[in-house]
Amino acid sequence: MLERLSRGLDRVNRLCAGVSMLALLAACGILTSSVATRYFFQASDRLADEASVFLLVGAIFLSGAYVQARRGHIGIGVLTGLLSPRWERARLRLSDFLSLLFCSFFAWKSWTLWLEAVTEGQTTDSTWAPPLWIPYA
C-alpha cells in the first residue's frame, strides 16, 4: 500500500514538474515577445510583466516537491563528506522536518489568503486586474 502511494506521489510530482517546465517556457515566450514589441514597435505590454511573474512564481512552488524528493536543492556538500552516516541521516531528517514545517505554515497561510481573496473578490492593482485567488491557489 505504501509503495503504491509513493509511486502515485512520484507521478504527481513529475506532473507538477512538467507543468512548471511549461510555465517557465510560457514566461520566456511572454518576456521575449514583450521585449521585441517594445524594441520594434515602441509599445509596452503591461500584461506581460504580471503574467510572467505569476508563471515564474507558480513554477517555483509547483516544482518544489519534485526537487525536494530528489534532494536536488542547493545543499552544503562538505557536510555530507564530513558527517558519519548516522549524523547524515539525522541531518536529512532534520532538513525534511524543517521543510515540512515551512510547507505546513505556507499552506495554512495560502489557504487563509485564498479564502480572503475569494470572499472579498480581491484583484491585483494592475490594469489587467486578475483575481488574486488564482495565485493564492
Side-chain angles (χ1 to χ4, degrees):
M1 170 89 170
L2 200 54
E3 181 64 32
R4 282 192 291 178
L5 181 64
S6 178
R7 280 194 310 260
L9 188 58
D10 189 52
R11 284 189 200 113
V12 169
N13 283 342
R14 280 187 276 135
L15 176 68
C16 287
V19 171
S20 296
M21 178 184 60
L22 294 175
L24 286 174
L25 289 173
C28 288
I30 289 170
L31 289 173
T32 301
S33 69
S34 176
V35 168
T37 301
R38 287 180 191 176
Y39 182 78
F40 292 115
F41 304 115
Q42 285 75 37
S44 67
D45 186 4
R46 295 183 180 143
L47 309 179
D49 292 337
E50 191 168 17
S52 60
V53 166
F54 281 169
L55 288 168
L56 290 172
V57 170
I60 288 168
F61 284 108
L62 274 177
S63 64
Y66 179 85
V67 172
Q68 178 68 15
R70 282 156 183 76
R71 302 259 181 228
H73 50 80
I74 298 172
I76 303 171
V78 76
L79 283 179
T80 304
L82 293 175
L83 297 175
S84 68
R86 184 176 142 217
W87 281 103
E88 179 62 17
R89 282 192 307 275
R91 185 187 69 82
L92 290 175
R93 285 189 181 127
L94 177 64
S95 171
D96 288 344
F97 178 71
L98 292 175
S99 295
L100 176 66
L101 284 178
F102 172 78
C103 290
S104 300
F105 173 77
F106 194 84
W108 167 73
K109 193 61 181 167
S110 295
W111 169 254
T112 59
L113 288 171
W114 178 83
L115 193 59
E116 184 179 305
V118 167
T119 56
E120 296 178 9
Q122 295 175 350
T123 61
T124 63
D125 293 331
S126 68
T127 55
W128 180 27
L132 278 174
W133 67 265
I134 296 171
Y136 291 157

PDB file of all heavy atoms in Angstrom, residues 23-62:
ATOM      1  N   ALA A  23       5.285  26.301 -17.693  1.00  0.00           N
ATOM      2  CA  ALA A  23       5.114  27.665 -17.197  1.00  0.00           C
ATOM      3  C   ALA A  23       6.376  28.493 -17.437  1.00  0.00           C
ATOM      4  O   ALA A  23       6.296  29.669 -17.815  1.00  0.00           O
ATOM      5  CB  ALA A  23       4.753  27.653 -15.715  1.00  0.00           C
ATOM      6  N   LEU A  24       7.552  27.882 -17.235  1.00  0.00           N
ATOM      7  CA  LEU A  24       8.804  28.590 -17.499  1.00  0.00           C
ATOM      8  C   LEU A  24       8.954  28.919 -18.979  1.00  0.00           C
ATOM      9  O   LEU A  24       9.377  30.020 -19.345  1.00  0.00           O
ATOM     10  CB  LEU A  24      10.000  27.766 -17.027  1.00  0.00           C
ATOM     11  CG  LEU A  24      10.213  27.696 -15.523  1.00  0.00           C
ATOM     12  CD1 LEU A  24      11.340  26.726 -15.195  1.00  0.00           C
ATOM     13  CD2 LEU A  24      10.506  29.060 -14.963  1.00  0.00           C
ATOM     14  N   LEU A  25       8.597  27.976 -19.828  1.00  0.00           N
ATOM     15  CA  LEU A  25       8.654  28.229 -21.271  1.00  0.00           C
ATOM     16  C   LEU A  25       7.683  29.330 -21.672  1.00  0.00           C
ATOM     17  O   LEU A  25       8.011  30.198 -22.486  1.00  0.00           O
ATOM     18  CB  LEU A  25       8.355  26.945 -22.046  1.00  0.00           C
ATOM     19  CG  LEU A  25       9.441  25.875 -22.011  1.00  0.00           C
ATOM     20  CD1 LEU A  25       8.955  24.591 -22.669  1.00  0.00           C
ATOM     21  CD2 LEU A  25      10.701  26.384 -22.684  1.00  0.00           C
ATOM     22  N   ALA A  26       6.481  29.318 -21.090  1.00  0.00           N
ATOM     23  CA  ALA A  26       5.499  30.364 -21.390  1.00  0.00           C
ATOM     24  C   ALA A  26       6.012  31.724 -20.920  1.00  0.00           C
ATOM     25  O   ALA A  26       5.879  32.726 -21.634  1.00  0.00           O
ATOM     26  CB  ALA A  26       4.163  30.031 -20.735  1.00  0.00           C
ATOM     27  N   ALA A  27       6.609  31.776 -19.725  1.00  0.00           N
ATOM     28  CA  ALA A  27       7.159  33.039 -19.223  1.00  0.00           C
ATOM     29  C   ALA A  27       8.279  33.539 -20.133  1.00  0.00           C
ATOM     30  O   ALA A  27       8.357  34.741 -20.416  1.00  0.00           O
ATOM     31  CB  ALA A  27       7.663  32.874 -17.791  1.00  0.00           C
ATOM     32  N   CYS A  28       9.120  32.627 -20.607  1.00  0.00           N
ATOM     33  CA  CYS A  28      10.188  33.021 -21.539  1.00  0.00           C
ATOM     34  C   CYS A  28       9.598  33.584 -22.828  1.00  0.00           C
ATOM     35  O   CYS A  28      10.066  34.607 -23.342  1.00  0.00           O
ATOM     36  CB  CYS A  28      11.081  31.824 -21.870  1.00  0.00           C
ATOM     37  SG  CYS A  28      12.133  31.312 -20.527  1.00  0.00           S
ATOM     38  N   GLY A  29       8.580  32.930 -23.344  1.00  0.00           N
ATOM     39  CA  GLY A  29       7.928  33.414 -24.561  1.00  0.00           C
ATOM     40  C   GLY A  29       7.274  34.769 -24.360  1.00  0.00           C
ATOM     41  O   GLY A  29       7.393  35.665 -25.211  1.00  0.00           O
ATOM     42  N   ILE A  30       6.597  34.943 -23.242  1.00  0.00           N
ATOM     43  CA  ILE A  30       5.930  36.218 -22.954  1.00  0.00           C
ATOM     44  C   ILE A  30       6.952  37.347 -22.819  1.00  0.00           C
ATOM     45  O   ILE A  30       6.782  38.426 -23.394  1.00  0.00           O
ATOM     46  CB  ILE A  30       5.072  36.096 -21.682  1.00  0.00           C
ATOM     47  CG1 ILE A  30       3.848  35.228 -21.956  1.00  0.00           C
ATOM     48  CG2 ILE A  30       4.647  37.467 -21.174  1.00  0.00           C
ATOM     49  CD1 ILE A  30       3.063  34.859 -20.713  1.00  0.00           C
ATOM     50  N   LEU A  31       8.014  37.094 -22.072  1.00  0.00           N
ATOM     51  CA  LEU A  31       9.029  38.138 -21.874  1.00  0.00           C
ATOM     52  C   LEU A  31       9.770  38.454 -23.168  1.00  0.00           C
ATOM     53  O   LEU A  31      10.073  39.617 -23.448  1.00  0.00           O
ATOM     54  CB  LEU A  31      10.004  37.730 -20.778  1.00  0.00           C
ATOM     55  CG  LEU A  31       9.425  37.740 -19.371  1.00  0.00           C
ATOM     56  CD1 LEU A  31      10.406  37.158 -18.379  1.00  0.00           C
ATOM     57  CD2 LEU A  31       9.025  39.152 -18.968  1.00  0.00           C
ATOM     58  N   THR A  32      10.049  37.438 -23.973  1.00  0.00           N
ATOM     59  CA  THR A  32      10.725  37.668 -25.251  1.00  0.00           C
ATOM     60  C   THR A  32       9.846  38.490 -26.186  1.00  0.00           C
ATOM     61  O   THR A  32      10.318  39.441 -26.819  1.00  0.00           O
ATOM     62  CB  THR A  32      11.100  36.329 -25.908  1.00  0.00           C
ATOM     63  OG1 THR A  32      11.954  35.612 -25.022  1.00  0.00           O
ATOM     64  CG2 THR A  32      11.799  36.544 -27.233  1.00  0.00           C
ATOM     65  N   SER A  33       8.571  38.144 -26.256  1.00  0.00           N
ATOM     66  CA  SER A  33       7.679  38.918 -27.120  1.00  0.00           C
ATOM     67  C   SER A  33       7.495  40.339 -26.601  1.00  0.00           C
ATOM     68  O   SER A  33       7.380  41.279 -27.385  1.00  0.00           O
ATOM     69  CB  SER A  33       6.327  38.216 -27.258  1.00  0.00           C
ATOM     70  OG  SER A  33       5.626  38.248 -26.033  1.00  0.00           O
ATOM     71  N   SER A  34       7.500  40.499 -25.296  1.00  0.00           N
ATOM     72  CA  SER A  34       7.382  41.844 -24.720  1.00  0.00           C
ATOM     73  C   SER A  34       8.586  42.706 -25.080  1.00  0.00           C
ATOM     74  O   SER A  34       8.439  43.879 -25.447  1.00  0.00           O
ATOM     75  CB  SER A  34       7.243  41.736 -23.203  1.00  0.00           C
ATOM     76  OG  SER A  34       7.225  43.011 -22.614  1.00  0.00           O
ATOM     77  N   VAL A  35       9.789  42.119 -24.987  1.00  0.00           N
ATOM     78  CA  VAL A  35      10.998  42.860 -25.349  1.00  0.00           C
ATOM     79  C   VAL A  35      10.983  43.204 -26.838  1.00  0.00           C
ATOM     80  O   VAL A  35      11.296  44.336 -27.233  1.00  0.00           O
ATOM     81  CB  VAL A  35      12.264  42.053 -24.981  1.00  0.00           C
ATOM     82  CG1 VAL A  35      13.511  42.660 -25.593  1.00  0.00           C
ATOM     83  CG2 VAL A  35      12.406  41.966 -23.477  1.00  0.00           C
ATOM     84  N   ALA A  36      10.605  42.247 -27.668  1.00  0.00           N
ATOM     85  CA  ALA A  36      10.548  42.503 -29.113  1.00  0.00           C
ATOM     86  C   ALA A  36       9.510  43.572 -29.439  1.00  0.00           C
ATOM     87  O   ALA A  36       9.746  44.451 -30.278  1.00  0.00           O
ATOM     88  CB  ALA A  36      10.226  41.210 -29.856  1.00  0.00           C
ATOM     89  N   THR A  37       8.366  43.530 -28.777  1.00  0.00           N
ATOM     90  CA  THR A  37       7.317  44.524 -29.010  1.00  0.00           C
ATOM     91  C   THR A  37       7.793  45.916 -28.608  1.00  0.00           C
ATOM     92  O   THR A  37       7.550  46.892 -29.320  1.00  0.00           O
ATOM     93  CB  THR A  37       6.053  44.158 -28.207  1.00  0.00           C
ATOM     94  OG1 THR A  37       5.612  42.864 -28.607  1.00  0.00           O
ATOM     95  CG2 THR A  37       4.938  45.154 -28.442  1.00  0.00           C
ATOM     96  N   ARG A  38       8.480  46.001 -27.491  1.00  0.00           N
ATOM     97  CA  ARG A  38       8.999  47.300 -27.048  1.00  0.00           C
ATOM     98  C   ARG A  38      10.076  47.822 -27.994  1.00  0.00           C
ATOM     99  O   ARG A  38      10.143  49.015 -28.274  1.00  0.00           O
ATOM    100  CB  ARG A  38       9.567  47.196 -25.639  1.00  0.00           C
ATOM    101  CG  ARG A  38       8.514  47.072 -24.588  1.00  0.00           C
ATOM    102  CD  ARG A  38       9.104  46.966 -23.211  1.00  0.00           C
ATOM    103  NE  ARG A  38       8.057  46.594 -22.257  1.00  0.00           N
ATOM    104  CZ  ARG A  38       8.264  46.358 -21.001  1.00  0.00           C
ATOM    105  NH1 ARG A  38       9.487  46.431 -20.513  1.00  0.00           N
ATOM    106  NH2 ARG A  38       7.275  46.032 -20.202  1.00  0.00           N
ATOM    107  N   TYR A  39      10.928  46.930 -28.473  1.00  0.00           N
ATOM    108  CA  TYR A  39      12.034  47.364 -29.324  1.00  0.00           C
ATOM    109  C   TYR A  39      11.560  47.752 -30.720  1.00  0.00           C
ATOM    110  O   TYR A  39      11.911  48.811 -31.226  1.00  0.00           O
ATOM    111  CB  TYR A  39      13.088  46.264 -29.413  1.00  0.00           C
ATOM    112  CG  TYR A  39      14.284  46.659 -30.251  1.00  0.00           C
ATOM    113  CD1 TYR A  39      15.267  47.497 -29.733  1.00  0.00           C
ATOM    114  CD2 TYR A  39      14.420  46.200 -31.547  1.00  0.00           C
ATOM    115  CE1 TYR A  39      16.356  47.869 -30.495  1.00  0.00           C
ATOM    116  CE2 TYR A  39      15.503  46.567 -32.321  1.00  0.00           C
ATOM    117  CZ  TYR A  39      16.461  47.403 -31.790  1.00  0.00           C
ATOM    118  OH  TYR A  39      17.540  47.777 -32.549  1.00  0.00           O
ATOM    119  N   PHE A  40      10.779  46.878 -31.357  1.00  0.00           N
ATOM    120  CA  PHE A  40      10.392  47.103 -32.748  1.00  0.00           C
ATOM    121  C   PHE A  40       9.213  48.061 -32.906  1.00  0.00           C
ATOM    122  O   PHE A  40       9.138  48.797 -33.879  1.00  0.00           O
ATOM    123  CB  PHE A  40      10.066  45.779 -33.438  1.00  0.00           C
ATOM    124  CG  PHE A  40      11.276  44.908 -33.631  1.00  0.00           C
ATOM    125  CD1 PHE A  40      11.372  43.699 -32.983  1.00  0.00           C
ATOM    126  CD2 PHE A  40      12.329  45.301 -34.443  1.00  0.00           C
ATOM    127  CE1 PHE A  40      12.488  42.886 -33.144  1.00  0.00           C
ATOM    128  CE2 PHE A  40      13.445  44.503 -34.611  1.00  0.00           C
ATOM    129  CZ  PHE A  40      13.527  43.286 -33.959  1.00  0.00           C
ATOM    130  N   PHE A  41       8.277  48.044 -31.992  1.00  0.00           N
ATOM    131  CA  PHE A  41       7.056  48.835 -32.150  1.00  0.00           C
ATOM    132  C   PHE A  41       6.927  49.963 -31.124  1.00  0.00           C
ATOM    133  O   PHE A  41       5.932  50.682 -31.130  1.00  0.00           O
ATOM    134  CB  PHE A  41       5.826  47.926 -32.068  1.00  0.00           C
ATOM    135  CG  PHE A  41       5.854  46.806 -33.066  1.00  0.00           C
ATOM    136  CD1 PHE A  41       5.940  45.488 -32.638  1.00  0.00           C
ATOM    137  CD2 PHE A  41       5.811  47.052 -34.425  1.00  0.00           C
ATOM    138  CE1 PHE A  41       5.973  44.449 -33.539  1.00  0.00           C
ATOM    139  CE2 PHE A  41       5.843  46.026 -35.339  1.00  0.00           C
ATOM    140  CZ  PHE A  41       5.933  44.715 -34.893  1.00  0.00           C
ATOM    141  N   GLN A  42       7.895  50.102 -30.229  1.00  0.00           N
ATOM    142  CA  GLN A  42       7.866  51.111 -29.170  1.00  0.00           C
ATOM    143  C   GLN A  42       6.526  51.111 -28.416  1.00  0.00           C
ATOM    144  O   GLN A  42       5.971  52.149 -28.070  1.00  0.00           O
ATOM    145  CB  GLN A  42       8.135  52.522 -29.721  1.00  0.00           C
ATOM    146  CG  GLN A  42       9.574  52.801 -30.074  1.00  0.00           C
ATOM    147  CD  GLN A  42      10.029  52.138 -31.356  1.00  0.00           C
ATOM    148  OE1 GLN A  42       9.275  52.035 -32.308  1.00  0.00           O
ATOM    149  NE2 GLN A  42      11.258  51.670 -31.371  1.00  0.00           N
ATOM    150  N   ALA A  43       6.015  49.918 -28.201  1.00  0.00           N
ATOM    151  CA  ALA A  43       4.758  49.768 -27.467  1.00  0.00           C
ATOM    152  C   ALA A  43       5.012  48.855 -26.275  1.00  0.00           C
ATOM    153  O   ALA A  43       5.690  47.839 -26.394  1.00  0.00           O
ATOM    154  CB  ALA A  43       3.691  49.158 -28.366  1.00  0.00           C
ATOM    155  N   SER A  44       4.482  49.247 -25.143  1.00  0.00           N
ATOM    156  CA  SER A  44       4.687  48.413 -23.957  1.00  0.00           C
ATOM    157  C   SER A  44       3.494  47.481 -23.764  1.00  0.00           C
ATOM    158  O   SER A  44       2.356  47.817 -24.100  1.00  0.00           O
ATOM    159  CB  SER A  44       4.875  49.285 -22.724  1.00  0.00           C
ATOM    160  OG  SER A  44       3.681  49.975 -22.432  1.00  0.00           O
ATOM    161  N   ASP A  45       3.801  46.329 -23.258  1.00  0.00           N
ATOM    162  CA  ASP A  45       2.760  45.344 -22.951  1.00  0.00           C
ATOM    163  C   ASP A  45       2.668  45.249 -21.435  1.00  0.00           C
ATOM    164  O   ASP A  45       3.491  44.616 -20.792  1.00  0.00           O
ATOM    165  CB  ASP A  45       3.121  43.989 -23.558  1.00  0.00           C
ATOM    166  CG  ASP A  45       2.013  42.980 -23.401  1.00  0.00           C
ATOM    167  OD1 ASP A  45       0.936  43.342 -22.895  1.00  0.00           O
ATOM    168  OD2 ASP A  45       2.229  41.819 -23.777  1.00  0.00           O
ATOM    169  N   ARG A  46       1.677  45.887 -20.884  1.00  0.00           N
ATOM    170  CA  ARG A  46       1.564  45.966 -19.431  1.00  0.00           C
ATOM    171  C   ARG A  46       1.206  44.625 -18.795  1.00  0.00           C
ATOM    172  O   ARG A  46       1.466  44.397 -17.629  1.00  0.00           O
ATOM    173  CB  ARG A  46       0.536  47.015 -19.052  1.00  0.00           C
ATOM    174  CG  ARG A  46       0.978  48.386 -19.462  1.00  0.00           C
ATOM    175  CD  ARG A  46       0.013  49.434 -19.021  1.00  0.00           C
ATOM    176  NE  ARG A  46       0.522  50.726 -19.467  1.00  0.00           N
ATOM    177  CZ  ARG A  46      -0.230  51.698 -19.887  1.00  0.00           C
ATOM    178  NH1 ARG A  46      -1.526  51.557 -19.905  1.00  0.00           N
ATOM    179  NH2 ARG A  46       0.310  52.833 -20.264  1.00  0.00           N
ATOM    180  N   LEU A  47       0.612  43.753 -19.557  1.00  0.00           N
ATOM    181  CA  LEU A  47       0.197  42.461 -19.011  1.00  0.00           C
ATOM    182  C   LEU A  47       1.358  41.479 -18.919  1.00  0.00           C
ATOM    183  O   LEU A  47       1.322  40.549 -18.118  1.00  0.00           O
ATOM    184  CB  LEU A  47      -0.898  41.853 -19.871  1.00  0.00           C
ATOM    185  CG  LEU A  47      -2.105  42.735 -20.211  1.00  0.00           C
ATOM    186  CD1 LEU A  47      -3.072  41.977 -21.093  1.00  0.00           C
ATOM    187  CD2 LEU A  47      -2.795  43.180 -18.956  1.00  0.00           C
ATOM    188  N   ALA A  48       2.374  41.682 -19.732  1.00  0.00           N
ATOM    189  CA  ALA A  48       3.456  40.701 -19.836  1.00  0.00           C
ATOM    190  C   ALA A  48       4.211  40.538 -18.525  1.00  0.00           C
ATOM    191  O   ALA A  48       4.514  39.411 -18.122  1.00  0.00           O
ATOM    192  CB  ALA A  48       4.411  41.101 -20.951  1.00  0.00           C
ATOM    193  N   ASP A  49       4.532  41.623 -17.880  1.00  0.00           N
ATOM    194  CA  ASP A  49       5.307  41.529 -16.640  1.00  0.00           C
ATOM    195  C   ASP A  49       4.543  40.777 -15.562  1.00  0.00           C
ATOM    196  O   ASP A  49       5.082  39.890 -14.906  1.00  0.00           O
ATOM    197  CB  ASP A  49       5.684  42.921 -16.137  1.00  0.00           C
ATOM    198  CG  ASP A  49       6.672  43.620 -17.055  1.00  0.00           C
ATOM    199  OD1 ASP A  49       7.380  42.912 -17.798  1.00  0.00           O
ATOM    200  OD2 ASP A  49       6.732  44.858 -17.032  1.00  0.00           O
ATOM    201  N   GLU A  50       3.284  41.132 -15.387  1.00  0.00           N
ATOM    202  CA  GLU A  50       2.496  40.482 -14.344  1.00  0.00           C
ATOM    203  C   GLU A  50       2.242  39.012 -14.664  1.00  0.00           C
ATOM    204  O   GLU A  50       2.356  38.149 -13.793  1.00  0.00           O
ATOM    205  CB  GLU A  50       1.170  41.218 -14.155  1.00  0.00           C
ATOM    206  CG  GLU A  50       0.430  40.778 -12.928  1.00  0.00           C
ATOM    207  CD  GLU A  50      -0.714  41.712 -12.595  1.00  0.00           C
ATOM    208  OE1 GLU A  50      -1.146  42.498 -13.445  1.00  0.00           O
ATOM    209  OE2 GLU A  50      -1.168  41.631 -11.447  1.00  0.00           O
ATOM    210  N   ALA A  51       1.943  38.709 -15.911  1.00  0.00           N
ATOM    211  CA  ALA A  51       1.708  37.317 -16.297  1.00  0.00           C
ATOM    212  C   ALA A  51       2.971  36.484 -16.112  1.00  0.00           C
ATOM    213  O   ALA A  51       2.915  35.354 -15.618  1.00  0.00           O
ATOM    214  CB  ALA A  51       1.228  37.244 -17.744  1.00  0.00           C
ATOM    215  N   SER A  52       4.115  37.036 -16.486  1.00  0.00           N
ATOM    216  CA  SER A  52       5.358  36.268 -16.342  1.00  0.00           C
ATOM    217  C   SER A  52       5.722  36.078 -14.868  1.00  0.00           C
ATOM    218  O   SER A  52       6.233  35.019 -14.495  1.00  0.00           O
ATOM    219  CB  SER A  52       6.501  36.940 -17.105  1.00  0.00           C
ATOM    220  OG  SER A  52       6.732  38.235 -16.613  1.00  0.00           O
ATOM    221  N   VAL A  53       5.442  37.058 -14.026  1.00  0.00           N
ATOM    222  CA  VAL A  53       5.703  36.892 -12.589  1.00  0.00           C
ATOM    223  C   VAL A  53       4.819  35.788 -12.030  1.00  0.00           C
ATOM    224  O   VAL A  53       5.285  34.919 -11.269  1.00  0.00           O
ATOM    225  CB  VAL A  53       5.488  38.221 -11.831  1.00  0.00           C
ATOM    226  CG1 VAL A  53       5.421  37.995 -10.338  1.00  0.00           C
ATOM    227  CG2 VAL A  53       6.591  39.202 -12.165  1.00  0.00           C
ATOM    228  N   PHE A  54       3.533  35.780 -12.384  1.00  0.00           N
ATOM    229  CA  PHE A  54       2.633  34.714 -11.930  1.00  0.00           C
ATOM    230  C   PHE A  54       3.145  33.350 -12.383  1.00  0.00           C
ATOM    231  O   PHE A  54       3.156  32.387 -11.613  1.00  0.00           O
ATOM    232  CB  PHE A  54       1.222  34.918 -12.470  1.00  0.00           C
ATOM    233  CG  PHE A  54       0.411  35.943 -11.723  1.00  0.00           C
ATOM    234  CD1 PHE A  54      -0.790  36.377 -12.241  1.00  0.00           C
ATOM    235  CD2 PHE A  54       0.831  36.473 -10.521  1.00  0.00           C
ATOM    236  CE1 PHE A  54      -1.560  37.322 -11.565  1.00  0.00           C
ATOM    237  CE2 PHE A  54       0.084  37.407  -9.839  1.00  0.00           C
ATOM    238  CZ  PHE A  54      -1.117  37.834 -10.362  1.00  0.00           C
ATOM    239  N   LEU A  55       3.574  33.253 -13.638  1.00  0.00           N
ATOM    240  CA  LEU A  55       4.067  31.975 -14.160  1.00  0.00           C
ATOM    241  C   LEU A  55       5.351  31.536 -13.457  1.00  0.00           C
ATOM    242  O   LEU A  55       5.509  30.356 -13.123  1.00  0.00           O
ATOM    243  CB  LEU A  55       4.290  32.077 -15.668  1.00  0.00           C
ATOM    244  CG  LEU A  55       3.030  32.127 -16.518  1.00  0.00           C
ATOM    245  CD1 LEU A  55       3.367  32.526 -17.948  1.00  0.00           C
ATOM    246  CD2 LEU A  55       2.307  30.794 -16.491  1.00  0.00           C
ATOM    247  N   LEU A  56       6.260  32.462 -13.237  1.00  0.00           N
ATOM    248  CA  LEU A  56       7.530  32.107 -12.603  1.00  0.00           C
ATOM    249  C   LEU A  56       7.344  31.689 -11.145  1.00  0.00           C
ATOM    250  O   LEU A  56       7.920  30.687 -10.705  1.00  0.00           O
ATOM    251  CB  LEU A  56       8.518  33.270 -12.695  1.00  0.00           C
ATOM    252  CG  LEU A  56       9.052  33.569 -14.093  1.00  0.00           C
ATOM    253  CD1 LEU A  56       9.862  34.861 -14.090  1.00  0.00           C
ATOM    254  CD2 LEU A  56       9.893  32.423 -14.605  1.00  0.00           C
ATOM    255  N   VAL A  57       6.553  32.432 -10.415  1.00  0.00           N
ATOM    256  CA  VAL A  57       6.316  32.079  -9.016  1.00  0.00           C
ATOM    257  C   VAL A  57       5.570  30.745  -8.929  1.00  0.00           C
ATOM    258  O   VAL A  57       5.899  29.877  -8.105  1.00  0.00           O
ATOM    259  CB  VAL A  57       5.552  33.200  -8.288  1.00  0.00           C
ATOM    260  CG1 VAL A  57       5.095  32.760  -6.914  1.00  0.00           C
ATOM    261  CG2 VAL A  57       6.424  34.437  -8.180  1.00  0.00           C
ATOM    262  N   GLY A  58       4.584  30.556  -9.790  1.00  0.00           N
ATOM    263  CA  GLY A  58       3.869  29.281  -9.816  1.00  0.00           C
ATOM    264  C   GLY A  58       4.788  28.122 -10.148  1.00  0.00           C
ATOM    265  O   GLY A  58       4.710  27.051  -9.535  1.00  0.00           O
ATOM    266  N   ALA A  59       5.693  28.323 -11.104  1.00  0.00           N
ATOM    267  CA  ALA A  59       6.630  27.261 -11.479  1.00  0.00           C
ATOM    268  C   ALA A  59       7.552  26.904 -10.319  1.00  0.00           C
ATOM    269  O   ALA A  59       7.846  25.731 -10.081  1.00  0.00           O
ATOM    270  CB  ALA A  59       7.452  27.696 -12.689  1.00  0.00           C
ATOM    271  N   ILE A  60       7.985  27.898  -9.584  1.00  0.00           N
ATOM    272  CA  ILE A  60       8.879  27.649  -8.448  1.00  0.00           C
ATOM    273  C   ILE A  60       8.175  26.787  -7.404  1.00  0.00           C
ATOM    274  O   ILE A  60       8.721  25.800  -6.911  1.00  0.00           O
ATOM    275  CB  ILE A  60       9.375  28.974  -7.846  1.00  0.00           C
ATOM    276  CG1 ILE A  60      10.377  29.621  -8.789  1.00  0.00           C
ATOM    277  CG2 ILE A  60       9.996  28.757  -6.471  1.00  0.00           C
ATOM    278  CD1 ILE A  60      10.715  31.051  -8.446  1.00  0.00           C
ATOM    279  N   PHE A  61       6.953  27.164  -7.052  1.00  0.00           N
ATOM    280  CA  PHE A  61       6.263  26.429  -5.995  1.00  0.00           C
ATOM    281  C   PHE A  61       5.753  25.063  -6.472  1.00  0.00           C
ATOM    282  O   PHE A  61       5.717  24.118  -5.692  1.00  0.00           O
ATOM    283  CB  PHE A  61       5.130  27.265  -5.407  1.00  0.00           C
ATOM    284  CG  PHE A  61       5.638  28.328  -4.494  1.00  0.00           C
ATOM    285  CD1 PHE A  61       5.608  29.655  -4.872  1.00  0.00           C
ATOM    286  CD2 PHE A  61       6.185  28.006  -3.271  1.00  0.00           C
ATOM    287  CE1 PHE A  61       6.099  30.641  -4.037  1.00  0.00           C
ATOM    288  CE2 PHE A  61       6.683  28.982  -2.425  1.00  0.00           C
ATOM    289  CZ  PHE A  61       6.641  30.301  -2.814  1.00  0.00           C
ATOM    290  N   LEU A  62       5.374  24.957  -7.740  1.00  0.00           N
ATOM    291  CA  LEU A  62       4.931  23.652  -8.243  1.00  0.00           C
ATOM    292  C   LEU A  62       6.076  22.649  -8.310  1.00  0.00           C
ATOM    293  O   LEU A  62       5.866  21.454  -8.114  1.00  0.00           O
ATOM    294  CB  LEU A  62       4.315  23.807  -9.639  1.00  0.00           C
ATOM    295  CG  LEU A  62       2.853  24.156  -9.698  1.00  0.00           C
ATOM    296  CD1 LEU A  62       2.422  24.356 -11.148  1.00  0.00           C
ATOM    297  CD2 LEU A  62       2.003  23.087  -9.054  1.00  0.00           C
TER     298      LEU A  62
END
